[in-house]
Amino acid sequence: MTMVRDLRNRCPWDRAQTRETLRPYLIEEVLELDHALSEGQPGEIRGEVSDLLLHLAFQLVIAEELCQFSSDDVAGDLESKMRRRHPHLFDLGDAEPWEHIKRRERRGHVLGGLIPTLPPLLMAHRLQERAASVGFDWSDVEGPLDKIREELSEVEDELRSARSAGNRPRDTDPNAPGQAPSEELVNEIGDLLFAVVNLARKAGVQPGPALDRANRKFRHRFEEIERLAVERGIDVSSAGLEVLDGLWGEVKSVNGQQ
């Protein structure tokens, strides 16, 4: 914080920064740290943690300048919160589930405090988690599995309805947008995704990192397909599904579960 105070005094750019102007950089730094954590490289993690700390220091110094709160205030708030949420460790009561404690802090509002800008996958997980904390939940994974089957059947029904309604003539322009999906289909696919998140939650799997792992696996395998295609003189844009699927099978057999 001493460094940031000095920068605010002597550097025109740093002095001009406000909470609003720093928001895009803060979001970028959080995403870069998240990426470094997923890569598991200590040097990269160290660097990104340092960058994030700089932004937190900026926020604290700006608050000091505005006479709103200090770093000691923030540290005190954090310490008090952790004591409330670990009562059994500080002779404040018996151990309780965190969601019960946090619901008291929210004055009983089960879904209170969930900001609307949460990424949709995380929002679905948090909504389900909150609802489950008051007993609105299945007893085991069979519940969400059945729900996925139900939602998938409804998606299939909507797809059949769209096909039977007939398609418009194919546009000869390759850049023309495809036919927009119906609102019903969008809703049903949303319900299906929500049910899959619920299954992940009941299975103890964080859906975001699980999807990130699947994305990485797909990207690695497809890049291997492109490498093989170059070696064999295959144009991936015109090779067709059968050829590409054959390359995919080769990559899977070599790389296994990577």
Side-chain angles (χ1 to χ4, degrees):
M1 289 182 61
T2 301
M3 172 66 75
V4 172
R5 292 188 190 105
D6 182 51
L7 291 173
R8 298 275 285 178
N9 283 329
R10 297 198 291 150
C11 174
W13 188 91
D14 290 295
R15 185 164 52 249
Q17 299 313 303
T18 66
R19 286 170 172 163
E20 193 63 27
T21 63
L22 288 169
R23 281 180 62 196
Y25 302 109
L26 176 59
I27 293 169
E28 182 180 352
E29 294 300 346
V30 170
L31 293 174
E32 289 178 357
L33 174 57
D34 180 64
H35 177 69
L37 292 170
S38 69
E39 293 292 315
Q41 297 296 325
E44 293 297 319
I45 295 171
R46 176 179 175 175
E48 297 303 338
V49 168
S50 174
D51 291 343
L52 180 58
L53 285 175
L54 173 65
H55 276 271
L56 296 179
F58 257 104
Q59 295 300 326
L60 290 170
V61 170
I62 289 172
E64 284 182 350
E65 294 170 352
L66 297 173
C67 299
Q68 294 175 337
F69 54 82
S70 69
S71 58
D72 288 340
D73 294 331
V74 172
D77 290 346
L78 178 59
E79 183 178 332
S80 295
K81 179 187 289 185
M82 291 301 98
R83 286 176 176 272
R84 286 197 311 272
R85 295 186 179 178
H86 299 83
H88 57 297
L89 300 181
F90 298 99
D91 297 324
L92 299 175
D94 297 329
E96 291 184 74
W98 269 36
E99 274 302 326
H100 293 182
I101 297 172
K102 289 191 283 187
R103 190 164 62 251
R104 281 202 302 274
E105 296 172 353
R106 297 191 298 266
R107 296 185 174 89
H109 296 291
V110 176
L111 303 181
L114 287 173
I115 59 171
T117 51
L118 280 180
L121 200 64
L122 179 58
M123 175 66 85
H125 189 262
R126 289 287 180 257
L127 289 170
Q128 295 164 5
E129 198 173 50
R130 294 281 187 90
S133 73
V134 294
F136 191 65
D137 197 11
W138 282 289
S139 58
D140 55 35
V141 296
E142 290 304 318
L145 279 171
D146 288 340
K147 188 64 175 175
I148 287 172
R149 296 183 187 104
E150 174 190 331
E151 297 297 348
L152 180 58
S153 176
E154 292 176 3
V155 168
E156 291 172 336
D157 289 343
E158 285 300 327
L159 290 171
R160 280 192 290 270
S161 296
R163 285 195 295 268
S164 64
N167 296 319
R168 67 186 183 185
R170 184 182 297 274
D171 199 308
T172 56
D173 183 350
N175 298 309
Q179 187 169 355
S182 68
E183 284 295 310
E184 291 80 5
L185 179 59
V186 172
N187 290 337
E188 294 300 345
I189 288 182
D191 291 343
L192 176 60
L193 292 171
F194 193 83
V196 171
V197 172
N198 224 348
L199 173 63
R201 181 185 60 83
K202 288 300 291 183
V205 174
Q206 285 285 343
L211 181 58
D212 182 59
R213 183 178 297 186
N215 289 340
R216 288 169 180 271
K217 184 191 299 182
F218 181 89
R219 180 170 185 160
H220 171 73
R221 289 177 176 174
F222 199 85
E223 287 173 344
E224 284 295 296
I225 284 177
E226 291 181 308
R227 183 184 63 78
L228 288 177
V230 169
E231 288 179 358
R232 300 174 187 181
I234 298 172
D235 178 9
V236 294
S237 63
S238 61
L241 177 59
E242 184 176 353
V243 172
L244 294 178
D245 197 46
L247 293 175
W248 180 270
E250 286 187 50
V251 171
K252 282 187 67 177
S253 67
V254 172
N255 294 317
Q257 294 302 311
Q258 291 181 10

